[in-house]
Every structure is written in structure tokens, then in C-alpha cells.
Amino acid sequence: MHFELGPLIERYGYAATFLGTLIEGETLLILSGLAAHRGYLSLPAVIVVGAVGGALGDMCFFLLGRHYGARLLDRFERFRPAAARVHAMIERHPALTILVVRFMYGLRTAGPAIIGSTRVPLVEFAFFNTLGAALWSACWAGAGYVLGKAAERLLGDLARIERELFGGAILVLIVVVIAYHIWLRARRVGPSQEK
């Protein structure tokens, strides 16, 4: 059985990067940077797509915070300490907070919503958020690219390893799907035999 990962990445890589960066994205950006190193994707295009996805996702969270901020904090009380921290940061350094909140652990998605619940103007948020998204995307995609260079030096033929890992993953997926269907069939048959 022979599988080719390259054509799949070339076909769906940018879409996956965009969709992944709408909500989270670091892992997908690293993988996309690695794919760029392997020649499947263009690194500048990955950075642009990641930045656009990250900026749009954060803009949606900002608008959620702007319109439903108090209700969201009432519903998700675990974000109250983070909200207090972000509000204090916004009071002191609004532009810097908008730029770096995406780099802060645990605040990648909650941070923009919390900022939306403050008095920061939409235009100011949009400008600094876009700048921050570009830096963030370049950072993580670049890390993936550098990781690809290091892995190639350490492991040698990445194409062979890539084929083996992809083939193994497909086989595991096939086994899981078959096992799931067998389990479903056994579950359906079980109750009917009891009658």
C-alpha cells in the first residue's frame, strides 16, 4: 500500500491552516511551517493565511466580548481571574496588551473576548490585533520551518519517514473505523436478542 501525503497537503494545507488559526492555531502553524520546509506549501503564504485566520478569529471573539462580555463572564466564571488580569493590562498598556495577548498561555481565545468587554475602540483593536496576528503567525510558522531543517539534519530522509508515518496513521484509522462499526453492529444486535 502506497500513500502520498504531499498532494493532500498541497491541496488542503492552506485551508487547514486558515481554519485552525481561526480558533487556536499554533500546532497547525508549526505543521504548516514544516510542510513549507518540505516544499508542499509556501512559507510566506502560510504566514499570510495564518495571520488572516488568527486576526479574523480574534475579531470574532472581540465582538462576542463587546456584545456579550458580562454575560459570558457570568456563565464562565473560570475566566474571571484572567479577565481581571487582562483588564488591568489594558488599563496600563492597551496597544501592547492587544499585541501580546495571543502569546499568553490560556488567553489565546479568551483574551480578545475579554478585551472586547473593555472600552478599547474597535479600530484600535483591529489595527494592533492584525499586527499581532502577523507576528504570531510568522513566529510559529517559522518555528515549524526551522524544526523541519533540524529534523532533516538529524533524521536524514524525511520523505521516507513521512510516508511510513502517514501509511501507519491511515492503517490505524482504518482499524479504528472497522472496530467502531463492529462495536455498533454488536450493540444493535445485543438489545434485539434480549427480546
Side-chain angles (χ1 to χ4, degrees):
M1 194 179 309
H2 182 69
F3 296 102
E4 286 296 324
L5 182 58
L8 282 174
I9 294 173
E10 289 170 354
R11 186 169 188 177
Y12 301 110
Y14 295 116
T17 301
F18 176 77
L19 292 173
T21 55
L22 280 173
I23 296 175
E24 194 61 42
E26 286 89 354
T27 303
L28 266 172
L29 276 172
I30 290 171
L31 290 173
S32 297
L34 181 59
H37 172 263
R38 296 281 301 124
Y40 300 130
L41 303 174
S42 158
L43 184 61
V46 164
I47 291 169
V48 169
V49 168
V52 169
L56 286 177
D58 284 359
M59 184 59 72
C60 291
F61 287 117
F62 176 85
L63 292 172
L64 275 173
R66 178 63 37 107
H67 296 290
Y68 305 106
R71 281 185 266 173
L72 287 172
L73 286 175
D74 287 342
R75 182 171 176 159
F76 300 102
E77 290 186 25
R78 70 176 184 265
F79 291 123
R80 282 190 190 278
R85 200 168 70 219
V86 171
H87 282 208
M89 290 170 60
I90 283 289
E91 289 296 321
R92 289 187 302 245
H93 309 287
L96 183 62
T97 302
I98 296 167
L99 279 171
V100 301
V101 74
R102 73 182 57 253
F103 292 97
M104 298 172 68
Y105 180 76
L107 292 176
R108 167 68 177 92
T109 54
I114 295 167
I115 294 170
S117 69
T118 68
R119 294 186 185 134
V120 170
L122 176 64
V123 173
E124 182 179 346
F125 177 80
F127 175 77
F128 288 109
N129 177 56
T130 302
L131 184 58
L135 294 170
W136 170 80
S137 184
C139 174
W140 290 109
Y145 193 89
V146 170
L147 179 67
K149 280 186 174 289
E152 194 169 63
R153 283 194 178 151
L154 185 67
L155 301 173
D157 184 14
L158 286 181
R160 180 186 54 79
I161 294 168
E162 181 181 280
R163 283 191 301 273
E164 291 171 0
L165 287 175
F166 185 63
I170 294 294
L171 289 175
V172 167
L173 181 63
I174 290 169
V175 169
V176 167
V177 168
I178 290 170
Y180 178 71
H181 284 290
I182 291 170
W183 176 78
L184 277 179
R185 193 172 306 138
R187 191 169 170 189
R188 285 187 206 130
V189 172
S192 65
Q193 289 178 346
E194 291 174 7
K195 292 180 181 178

